[in-house]
Amino acid sequence: MSGNWINIINIEDIPEDDVIGVNIDGHHIALYRAENEVFATDNVCTHGHALLSDGFLEDGEIECPLHQGRFCIKSGKAMSEPLTEDIKTYPTRMEGEQVFLKLS
Ligand code: FES
């Protein structure tokens, strides 16, 4: 159920300073591992049909593979053209190496 913390992955299953795409209850989510923290956003770009998990993570921003728009992975804020719409973020927390996410 949305609103509950869901145990989604072990942090070691996400490459360091990288992004992977996962499907949680039918939601396409991008998971970012940066500085041993995990952040989560929607995986589908707000500009077109591209998966951010195919993009490039650098300095806390994910670059979309299609037109190189960049989002902040913490706030979801659209940081560059051609993006006009922010992306949804999801709260995460850690328990040891286990990563939990709330879908709400
Ligand atoms: S589809 Fe992501 S920037 Fe265009």
Side-chain angles (χ1 to χ4, degrees), residues 45 47-48 50 64 66-67 69 82-83:
C45 185
H47 179 249
C64 178
L66 202 50
H67 309 109
L83 303 173

Side-chain angles (χ1 to χ4, degrees), residues 14-79:
I14 310 172
E16 267 179 64
D17 301 314
D18 209 348
V19 54
I20 62 169
V22 293
N23 189 317
I24 302 166
D25 284 355
H27 297 260
H28 295 285
I29 309 276
L31 293 177
Y32 311 90
R33 178 174 175 183
E35 298 155 15
N36 270 319
E37 274 190 84
V38 175
F39 302 94
T41 70
D42 273 339
N43 199 5
V44 180
C45 185
T46 56
H47 179 249
H49 210 81
L51 293 180
L52 298 180
S53 56
D54 293 332
F56 179 61
L57 177 63
E58 188 178 51
D59 294 335
E61 294 180 2
I62 183 71
E63 184 181 88
C64 178
L66 202 50
H67 309 109
Q68 287 73 51
R70 283 181 287 108
F71 296 98
C72 171
I73 63 169
K74 296 183 186 179
S75 67
K77 211 168 162 30
M79 306 298 286

